[in-house]
Amino acid sequence: MLAQSAWCRAIGLPALPPRPHFPRNSLRFRGAATSNSGCCACSYASQPQAWKQEHAHRPRKRQRRCTRSHAVEQSDAALDNSPDIESNPVDVQSLATDNADLTDVDLDAIISQGSFDQVSTGSQDWYSELDKTSTSIVPQDIEPQDDEEDPDASYPERPSRSYTLASLLKLADISLPEDFGEDELEVAITGLQNRPHKVQAGDLYIHITKPDEDVWGCVHEALQRGASAVIAGDIFEAEEDLEVPVMLLPDCLAAQQRLAIAFYDNPSTKMTVVGVTGSTGKTTTSWLIRGMFDELDKSAGLIGTVEYGIDEFLMTEDGDLWKRDEPDPTLQRESSVPNCLTPYCGKYEVPETLPDGLHVHKIMAGQADRGAAACVLECTTSGLKEGRCAYVDFDVAVFTNILQEKVDAFGGIAPYLEAQGSLFLKLKDPNRQRAVVNSDDPYADDMKRFAAAVPVVTYAISDRSADVYAEKVVMGIWESEITVRTPIGHLRIITPLIGRNNVYNVLAAVATGLSINVPLKTIVAGVEATEVVPGRTEYIDLQQNFQVLVDSANTPGALNRLLEDVRLCGARKILLVFGCEGEEDKAKRPYMGEIAHYKADTVIMTNQNQRSEAPEQIIQDIITGFPDEILDKNARRPWAGGFLQDPCRVSHTVREFLFYHQNVWRRYVCEDRYTAIRWAIAAAQKGDVVIVAGKGDQDWTEVADGRGGSIRGWLDDRVECRNALSKLYRLDTIRSMDRTEIPFVVMGEREPRFWEWGKK
């Protein structure tokens, strides 16, 4: 019955019984083009007219462009002519091959044979042409996207910079080496770089020593690429005579920042720089503040854990506007493919922390050179501790909060406060600089003491004496309405950013706006225009009558706060899809399971970057946090592994028993994340909230490659949610479908079950 069920065909799921089961370290690689439809914009226009009329109860919201989104638009006419699912069933295989000529690569054969070249992929063997030393997998038949906008055309050409080594060292206040000759001091420096593989001719290479690193190998690579001079630690010893000047310094970390200030003309002094620090809320607060600068019609830059950018354009860590350097095979696809891996290449990536000191100034220089009037900088605690922005001239420093779980991971409250306080100790000019502090936080007084030299603007939900105070907060699953009292008037803000934590983020942005004299109307417009922050309670809205949220919560504390926020917003039921990463902190898995069990109504456990760990073992670690009552019943099942495992790991003869017990507890296991997301969305009812937690804006997944490493493929929760919602109207056409339990069946076929007859 399930093999040909209409609901599977309707939403693009593979039929359950024939669904392939791949053992650990076994993959099928699908070299297919796919599309990022994870745009913040509402896709209401892509729905058929009948669906629009049925879902016309919700108002449409104003759209804000998201720099990380790529939407594939479809015409209303094309979708209005879609065949009825019951009269013309959609074949799952055709759904997977509609948009591109797919090439399958069997990694099992690669693993067993130990060679890429011996594998034949049928019609086109692009995989055998892969560079054996490269970790990037790019189908050779994909043409570059020539129609993409050239970002450089929007800005004037950046100024060329060149200094002699002597003049640059003097500007950076670094003593000239006594043993340098005149020729060595007159060497021309046209750039700075601390990554040997990125060195260009004329660069000054600054080597930052790392543990277990081949120092000479890095220096030798930089010289081969044309470095004009080298600065290294005082323990560096050259293995041969060098033809370029080599300068040894005891503190290269500080030296690279002073050199960057000198070379790039101290870019932070040319902009209004806002630094945001704290345990949580940095990303959302930064985006809200940038939204205010956008409403002022000022070009604004952002340096954060999601992106580096200026206006709507992305930037690299070297301050250049980002351009795709290789074809992206996902641009013409609406989603990934179940149980397969889509090549991950041609994508934009940034590290999940503050850039090093040199690159902070290189990015700021790129923004200032292009006319940016402001820059918002996420200051992570680890980055502050390492002094990565020690030479940045801040105008405003914002403190969000301190959480105990972050303090414990950092090694105690004293070093944590010292790191966060270092940002506020930089504020010395009371006429220009300001501090913004959350006065509800227990450590607010400590931050005020750090910022004693400048005026402090406070914000709060509980502290009525705060400068910016939330007088009234109305929270729902669709939006938050906040009435804010400020020293110069009241504000009323309506934002789709939901939950108590986002209320604090909005208040922090309002306080920041007041500290730099942004008009109240502009503050409201900027906050309300920022409808989506990638991967931070990001809503996916196709005018459905339930809410879908994608969030990066991947720790017990973050998941707990997220679920509590959604519950406070009045969710009828919470359907949670989550997992835990492989090869990472295993101790947190039971806590994640415990929080999910007690704070969500329906839980679907799935994969999340399992890497070389067995997916079923990760799931077993999670369910150890469930109550003993469930674990005892799970242990007494007559088949191995109990009922808390993926249905495809058991025989079809017991699969219905497994689903029955999972339905009793509303605790499901689906290792394929593609399918798990569609289970949750298809089962949601009016007023429910579907939460897909763990990855947030992360648009890739990592699995074992069978050779002791891992391989990365494209998987974006936002894209998958949007794709599932776009097919939901097909399920709605099946009027007799019972979607209260998984698997979905025709009304009346679920009961009675033969093992329940004795109870009646």
Side-chain angles (χ1 to χ4, degrees):
M1 176 183 69
L2 294 176
Q4 302 297 328
S5 60
W7 72 274
C8 286
R9 298 193 300 269
I11 59 176
L13 288 182
L16 275 174
R19 173 180 162 192
H21 165 58
F22 304 114
R24 181 181 180 184
N25 294 337
S26 176
L27 304 169
R28 280 170 54 81
F29 192 98
R30 186 174 290 272
T34 46
S35 159
N36 290 357
S37 55
C39 180
C40 324
C42 173
S43 295
Y44 180 74
S46 67
Q47 303 305 323
Q49 191 62 35
W51 192 92
K52 293 178 185 177
Q53 295 173 358
E54 184 176 349
H55 294 76
H57 60 282
R58 290 205 48 227
R60 296 183 63 187
K61 298 186 178 70
R62 186 156 55 121
Q63 170 182 336
R64 172 174 171 79
R65 176 172 45 191
C66 173
T67 57
R68 295 292 303 277
S69 61
H70 309 272
V72 177
E73 298 181 358
Q74 301 179 13
S75 67
D76 285 351
L79 282 176
D80 285 339
N81 295 327
S82 299
D84 184 83
I85 190 65
E86 292 184 320
S87 61
N88 191 0
V90 178
D91 180 59
V92 175
Q93 298 301 322
S94 67
L95 285 175
T97 56
D98 276 345
N99 304 307
D101 181 18
L102 305 184
T103 304
D104 291 337
V105 178
D106 190 351
L107 287 193
D108 290 336
I110 297 174
I111 294 168
S112 61
Q113 298 179 26
S115 171
F116 289 95
D117 296 322
Q118 300 173 12
V119 181
S120 175
T121 61
S123 61
Q124 187 170 10
D125 192 8
W126 60 264
Y127 201 90
S128 63
E129 302 298 325
L130 179 67
D131 180 4
K132 310 304 185 299
T133 63
S134 174
T135 58
S136 175
I137 301 175
V138 186
Q140 301 299 317
D141 59 337
I142 298 177
E143 297 296 331
Q145 288 79 23
D146 294 330
D147 57 343
E148 293 185 9
E149 179 183 0
D150 182 6
D152 287 319
S154 302
Y155 299 99
E157 186 177 354
R158 295 186 65 185
S160 59
R161 294 181 171 92
S162 179
Y163 295 87
T164 64
L165 181 59
S167 62
L168 182 60
L169 293 175
K170 185 176 181 180
L171 287 172
D173 195 21
I174 297 176
S175 300
L176 298 177
E178 296 179 357
D179 56 343
F180 272 24
E182 183 176 347
D183 292 341
E184 293 176 308
L185 293 174
E186 293 302 315
V187 168
I189 304 298
T190 58
L192 305 178
Q193 188 55 261
N194 60 11
R195 306 194 192 283
H197 63 282
K198 289 189 174 182
V199 169
Q200 297 180 358
D203 284 354
L204 167 60
Y205 173 62
I206 308 163
H207 179 76
I208 307 300
T209 304
K210 299 177 182 178
D212 303 324
E213 185 179 49
D214 181 9
V215 179
W216 167 245
C218 293
V219 173
H220 185 67
E221 180 179 359
L223 295 176
Q224 285 186 323
R225 292 179 176 272
S228 296
V230 174
I231 291 180
D234 52 11
I235 62 172
F236 170 71
E237 294 182 4
E239 297 181 2
E240 59 185 53
D241 293 334
L242 302 180
E243 298 180 356
V244 302
V246 178
M247 185 174 178
L248 304 183
L249 295 176
D251 188 358
C252 291
L253 287 173
Q256 69 175 353
Q257 295 192 59
R258 295 202 298 271
L259 288 165
I261 290 174
F263 189 85
Y264 295 109
D265 307 315
N266 202 356
S268 62
T269 62
K270 302 176 182 179
M271 303 180 288
T272 299
V273 180
V274 179
V276 183
T277 189
S279 296
T280 63
K282 297 184 295 295
T283 299
T284 302
T285 302
S286 298
W287 279 65
L288 291 170
I289 294 171
R290 184 175 71 165
M292 290 190 302
F293 286 119
D294 289 344
E295 290 299 320
L296 286 171
D297 291 331
K298 291 185 177 181
S299 181
L302 177 69
I303 303 176
T305 55
V306 173
E307 69 178 38
Y308 314 142
I310 177 173
D311 302 326
E312 69 270 26
F313 297 109
L314 302 173
M315 299 182 70
T316 68
E317 64 177 3
D318 292 314
D320 300 318
L321 296 179
W322 180 77
K323 299 176 184 178
R324 208 179 307 279
D325 57 359
E326 56 184 343
D328 182 354
T330 72
L331 288 182
Q332 303 305 318
R333 290 290 304 279
E334 295 181 357
S335 71
S336 63
V337 182
N339 297 302
C340 295
L341 204 63
T342 304
Y344 187 83
C345 49
K347 298 289 187 181
Y348 178 78
E349 295 183 84
V350 297
E352 296 180 357
T353 187
L354 190 68
D356 63 65
L358 172 61
H359 288 97
V360 165
H361 290 281
K362 293 184 78 170
I363 298 169
M364 284 188 169
Q367 294 167 345
D369 290 346
R370 294 177 176 89
C375 174
V376 186
L377 179 63
E378 279 188 57
C379 301
T380 61
T381 308
S382 58
L384 289 171
K385 179 183 178 181
E386 296 170 5
R388 298 184 183 183
C389 52
Y391 293 85
V392 175
D393 184 16
F394 289 96
D395 293 275
V396 181
V398 182
F399 167 70
T400 59
N401 53 49
I402 290 180
L403 300 179
Q404 190 60 43
E405 62 181 274
K406 302 290 187 179
V407 171
D408 295 339
F410 202 78
I413 187 60
Y416 199 84
L417 278 174
E418 181 182 358
Q420 300 239 334
S422 65
L423 175 63
F424 295 87
L425 288 172
K426 294 174 60 62
L427 306 178
K428 302 294 185 182
D429 185 354
N431 296 320
R432 175 176 63 89
Q433 297 175 314
R434 297 289 185 270
V436 175
V437 174
N438 175 8
S439 61
D440 282 345
D441 191 85
Y443 298 97
D445 291 339
D446 297 280
M447 294 302 157
K448 292 177 183 178
R449 283 194 293 270
F450 286 127
V454 299
V456 177
V457 181
T458 58
Y459 66 93
I461 294 177
S462 301
D463 181 11
R464 300 183 64 87
S465 65
D467 300 313
V468 177
Y469 172 68
E471 284 191 339
K472 182 180 179 181
V473 178
V474 179
M475 292 187 291
I477 64 172
W478 301 108
E479 60 191 17
S480 301
E481 181 179 337
I482 311 167
T483 303
V484 184
R485 185 200 69 206
T486 75
I488 58 175
H490 284 69
L491 306 176
R492 180 172 174 265
I493 297 173
I494 300 176
T495 173
L497 302 176
I498 68 170
R500 183 180 177 87
N501 291 299
N502 276 321
V503 173
Y504 274 112
N505 297 331
V506 168
L507 294 176
V510 171
T512 303
L514 291 176
S515 69
I516 54 178
N517 300 318
V518 177
L520 294 184
K521 289 184 178 180
T522 304
I523 292 175
V524 174
V527 170
E528 291 187 344
T530 309
E531 293 193 342
V532 169
V533 180
R536 306 313 191 262
T537 56
E538 180 176 351
Y539 72 95
I540 310 297
D541 186 8
L542 267 67
Q543 300 296 303
Q544 71 277 5
N545 59 7
F546 57 90
Q547 180 66 286
V548 178
L549 299 175
V550 175
D551 194 84
S552 60
N554 59 2
T555 65
L559 184 63
N560 181 60
R561 290 188 296 274
L562 173 64
L563 294 174
E564 286 184 346
D565 270 3
V566 173
R567 187 68 71 185
L568 285 173
C569 291
R572 189 185 76 92
K573 288 185 178 180
I574 297 177
L575 295 83
L576 173 65
V577 179
F578 85 106
C580 291
E581 298 205 1
E583 299 180 0
E584 292 194 1
D585 186 8
K586 297 183 180 180
K588 74 179 183 182
R589 294 174 185 172
Y591 297 104
M592 297 279 285
E594 181 180 12
I595 290 168
H597 173 78
Y598 285 107
K599 301 205 170 180
D601 300 290
T602 298
V603 177
I604 303 177
M605 292 162 284
T606 187
N607 284 343
Q608 181 179 317
N609 302 333
Q610 67 268 29
R611 300 183 177 92
S612 63
E613 278 200 70
E616 65 272 20
Q617 183 56 54
I618 298 176
I619 299 296
Q620 291 304 310
D621 290 343
I622 294 174
I623 68 174
T624 56
F626 285 3
D628 291 341
E629 183 181 7
I630 296 181
L631 297 180
D632 290 344
K633 289 186 178 294
N634 186 60
R636 291 202 300 267
R637 294 309 97 200
W639 57 87
F643 64 85
L644 288 174
Q645 60 177 314
D646 191 290
C648 292
R649 292 193 177 276
V650 300
S651 168
H652 70 280
T653 58
V654 298
R655 189 168 291 148
E656 189 174 358
F657 292 85
L658 180 142
F659 272 123
Y660 168 72
H661 290 289
Q662 290 189 358
N663 280 315
V664 167
W665 299 100
R666 298 287 179 177
R667 302 295 176 260
Y668 303 92
V669 178
C670 179
E671 293 174 8
D672 179 45
R673 198 175 183 95
Y674 173 102
T675 305
I677 290 172
R678 284 155 177 79
W679 278 11
I681 287 178
Q685 304 296 319
K686 182 178 180 179
D688 292 348
V689 177
V690 175
I691 299 176
V692 184
K695 291 169 63 67
D697 63 297
Q698 187 183 90
D699 60 353
W700 48 264
T701 184
E702 280 188 353
V703 296
D705 62 1
R707 297 174 294 167
S710 61
I711 191 170
R712 184 172 289 189
W714 178 65
L715 179 65
D716 191 330
D717 286 349
R718 301 164 296 173
V719 173
E720 303 306 329
C721 288
R722 190 169 296 278
N723 179 256
L725 287 171
S726 70
K727 293 182 171 64
L728 195 59
Y729 76 92
R730 301 184 183 182
L731 271 184
D732 293 339
T733 64
I734 310 175
R735 302 299 180 185
S736 60
M737 183 64 65
D738 177 10
R739 288 151 58 183
T740 59
E741 295 181 358
I742 297 174
F744 311 143
V745 297
V746 176
M747 294 285 189
E749 290 191 4
R750 196 182 305 278
E751 299 290 353
R753 295 182 176 88
F754 66 85
W755 61 84
E756 294 184 321
W757 286 349
K759 300 178 183 179
K760 297 185 178 180

